[in-house]
Amino acid sequence: MPVKAVEIKKDIYWVGAVDWAVRDFHGYETPRGTTYNNYLIMDDEITLIDTVKYDFATYTLKNISGVVDPARIKNVIINHIENDHVTSLDCVMDLAPNATIYISEKGKKGLERFFDLSRWNVKTVKTGDTLTIGKRTLEFLETPMLHWPDSMVTYAREDKILFTQDAFGQHVASANRFDDEYEISNSPVELEDAVVDYYANILMPFGQMIKTKIAEIQAKGFEIDIIAPDHGLIWRKDPGKVLGMYLDMANGKARESVAIIYDTMWQSTEKMAGPIAEGVRAEGLNCQIIKLRATPTSVAIKEFWKCRGALIGSPTLNNILFPSVAEFLTHLRGLRPKNRIVGAFGSFGWGGGAVKESYEVFKQMGLQTVEPGIQLAYRPSLADEEACFEFGRTFARQVSEYHKGF
Ligand SMILES: Cc1cc2nc3c(=O)[nH]c(=O)nc-3n(C[C@H](O)[C@H](O)[C@H](O)COP(=O)(O)O)c2cc1C
Ligand SMILES: [Fe+2]
Ligand SMILES: [Fe+2]
């Protein structure tokens, strides 16, 4: 659906594209689709902040053209060189070949891997550098590893807008551009869920850096009326809300509840999950059961992240973890979760191995564990079900104890 440029503040336009159909975003499932947001500032020097994914180049060019002839663009700021934001840069530069690109040093190095930069004017910027474009001054703040080494944010001082590239974004395709509109057309809860989903899947490893950078933004005294990310809704109603959510998550906030995440071949591990969940409930904690083969990995990651405790269930296949569980744990390990307590369960036939391997991965991740886990041969007997129930209770008590530390 073509969407026209939308003025987000006087003379500042969203000129991005809505990707209603994407369901696989670099392997991350996006059931709600996404948007690629970029922004055009109409001042003495017309300035474009970011571009979009290559197959949406025509959309952004059309949106820009609805406001101004793209040939008049003087500055192009690239806050983040990931493919979804730079791969239409050449289409923009074809129309505005004399524009100057402003980018971090690391960004420039990376950009050389995408384009021949010798034909373009490229200036590198660092934290504290400013660019005066007429009535407005833009200030840059590098945010390395949030979430790529080159990442930076751009602050429009007079308008009090922080352009944050991926940070504070959400994978949500919508006809709405703003948080308040989406909260009415959908719901605040759905928007919050999309924020948690994005944080869990992309930003989980970088909590410490998030705290440092938010403190740096506060120390600089940036007043913020609008947070304009590169995906999803723009925060104009209450940008403090998403800042608060990020700080909470970076500080280890989670629900005092349990996610039971498992897979199964012949339903024995699955049959263990039920009584374990009942044991958790008997201790008054909420819990939910997630079967990996029935759930997108990104959803399982999000549910893991919401809960203080997680139990991972896997049958043994050829002495080791079931592949979908191994995949989940590999994904999780890369996200370097903190402040969570975990345990493992599973059914085996003869030698076993999956529960042991789960704990090895937990140790690699440095997570708090409840040991031993629970495993049984073939089908759970009635006595095994009772033992699973007790294991759920014990685990829940440990979750509550651990939760007191937050
Ligand atoms: C969420 C995310 C995290 C990444 N983490 C790393 C990393 O830790 N180290 C690294 O060298 N590259 C990292 N990359 C960069 C990719 O490896 C890079 O974009 C590569 O070109 C992708 O190759 P592909 O096109 O075959 O998927 C990451 C990319 C994404 C999207
Ligand atoms: Fe990104
Ligand atoms: Fe992105």
Side-chain angles (χ1 to χ4, degrees):
M1 181 177 103
V3 178
K4 286 204 162 90
V6 175
E7 196 170 37
I8 67 166
K9 203 150 193 182
K10 177 132 182 44
D11 293 333
I12 302 183
Y13 296 85
W14 173 92
V15 287
V18 182
D19 191 347
W20 294 94
V22 66
R23 292 294 179 270
D24 174 347
F25 189 90
H26 66 54
Y28 169 163
E29 294 83 349
T30 47
R32 303 176 176 102
T34 194
T35 71
Y36 313 105
N37 298 338
N38 59 337
Y39 302 94
L40 185 71
I41 307 180
M42 296 299 297
D43 207 321
D44 297 345
E45 295 186 6
I46 294 166
T47 300
L48 182 69
I49 300 184
D50 292 327
T51 69
V52 297
K53 192 170 151 185
Y54 59 93
D55 28 2
F56 289 85
T58 52
Y59 290 79
T60 193
L61 291 175
K62 185 166 171 283
N63 285 341
I64 294 168
S65 303
V67 180
V68 70
D69 177 357
R72 290 183 54 207
I73 293 172
K74 186 79 190 340
N75 310 308
V76 178
I77 294 168
I78 297 294
N79 280 329
H80 172 36
I81 61 156
E82 193 167 354
N83 307 49
D84 50 335
H85 308 296
V86 294
T87 45
S88 60
L89 179 60
D90 52 345
C91 301
V92 172
M93 295 305 285
D94 283 349
L95 299 179
N98 297 319
T100 302
I101 295 169
Y102 292 85
I103 189 166
S104 66
E105 183 66 45
K106 284 210 177 84
K108 185 183 171 196
K109 282 213 177 72
L111 200 60
E112 281 166 355
R113 306 289 305 167
F114 288 81
F115 301 110
D116 168 14
L117 300 188
S118 63
R119 60 202 156 133
W120 298 334
N121 310 315
V122 181
K123 285 197 176 149
T124 58
V125 293
K126 54 185 186 324
T127 294
D129 286 354
T130 56
L131 175 66
T132 300
I133 59 171
K135 292 188 287 297
R136 294 177 177 79
T137 297
L138 306 176
E139 182 169 342
F140 306 105
L141 175 76
E142 289 172 274
T143 57
M145 287 326 293
L146 280 182
H147 69 119
W148 271 21
D150 59 283
S151 298
M152 66 176 192
V153 300
T154 300
Y155 179 60
R157 268 185 202 164
E158 291 74 11
D159 301 285
K160 300 180 181 156
I161 303 178
L162 192 62
F163 297 96
T164 55
Q165 37 97 14
D166 285 331
F168 311 116
Q170 333 90 44
H171 283 314
V172 175
S174 171
N176 305 135
R177 299 277 65 81
F178 299 100
D179 55 348
D180 51 304
E181 293 173 344
Y182 190 78
E183 285 185 2
I184 293 166
S185 66
N186 291 68
S187 76
V189 174
E190 200 175 323
L191 184 54
E192 282 164 25
D193 185 77
V195 171
V196 175
D197 189 87
Y198 196 87
Y199 186 106
N201 280 282
I202 303 290
L203 297 166
M204 192 196 293
F206 310 118
Q208 196 51 47
M209 180 65 79
I210 284 167
K211 286 196 272 184
T212 306
K213 285 296 157 187
I214 290 179
E216 212 174 309
I217 286 165
Q218 283 163 346
K220 277 184 170 288
F222 286 175
E223 287 176 54
I224 299 174
D225 278 355
I226 294 179
I227 290 179
D230 274 3
H231 297 288
L233 287 312
I234 297 165
W235 302 91
R236 73 172 176 193
K237 178 184 153 203
D238 184 10
K241 173 174 164 171
V242 74
L243 276 166
M245 283 182 75
Y246 266 50
L247 277 177
D248 282 349
M249 286 189 278
N251 282 321
K253 186 175 176 185
R255 293 179 189 159
E256 188 183 350
S257 62
V258 175
I260 298 177
I261 300 170
Y262 78 100
D263 220 324
T264 191
M265 292 185 279
W266 289 114
Q267 284 69 48
S268 293
T269 301
E270 187 166 70
K271 284 193 162 68
M272 297 172 76
I276 293 173
E278 283 171 30
V280 171
R281 288 292 299 145
E283 289 296 320
L285 264 56
N286 195 19
C287 91
Q288 64 174 322
I289 302 180
I290 296 150
K291 179 177 177 177
L292 284 168
R293 282 206 327 288
T295 313
T297 307
S298 57
V299 173
I301 294 282
K302 174 182 65 180
E303 298 304 330
F304 169 92
W305 182 241
K306 281 182 183 169
C307 300
R308 181 66 68 205
L311 287 168
I312 307 298
S314 175
T316 297
L317 173 63
N318 299 325
N319 301 320
I320 59 175
L321 281 166
F322 191 69
S324 60
V325 181
E327 184 190 339
F328 174 77
L329 288 175
T330 300
H331 204 118
L332 191 63
R333 185 159 59 86
L335 290 167
R336 301 199 294 275
K338 289 192 177 57
N339 307 318
R340 300 296 186 281
I341 183 166
V342 290
F345 66 98
S347 170
F348 63 96
W350 42 100
V355 168
K356 181 166 163 274
E357 200 183 340
S358 296
Y359 280 97
E360 284 164 9
V361 184
F362 298 158
K363 297 269 155 70
Q364 282 177 3
M365 290 195 262
L367 291 174
Q368 185 87 9
T369 55
V370 173
E371 287 181 77
I374 184 164
Q375 53 185 333
L376 52 86
Y378 298 118
R379 304 296 265 185
S381 64
L382 277 178
D384 289 327
E385 285 184 7
E386 192 54 39
C388 286
F389 178 83
E390 285 308 322
F391 178 69
R393 287 192 86 145
T394 306
F395 185 74
R397 283 198 293 272
Q398 302 259 0
V399 170
S400 293
E401 196 53 38
Y402 183 64
H403 188 72
K404 286 182 190 150
F406 296 91

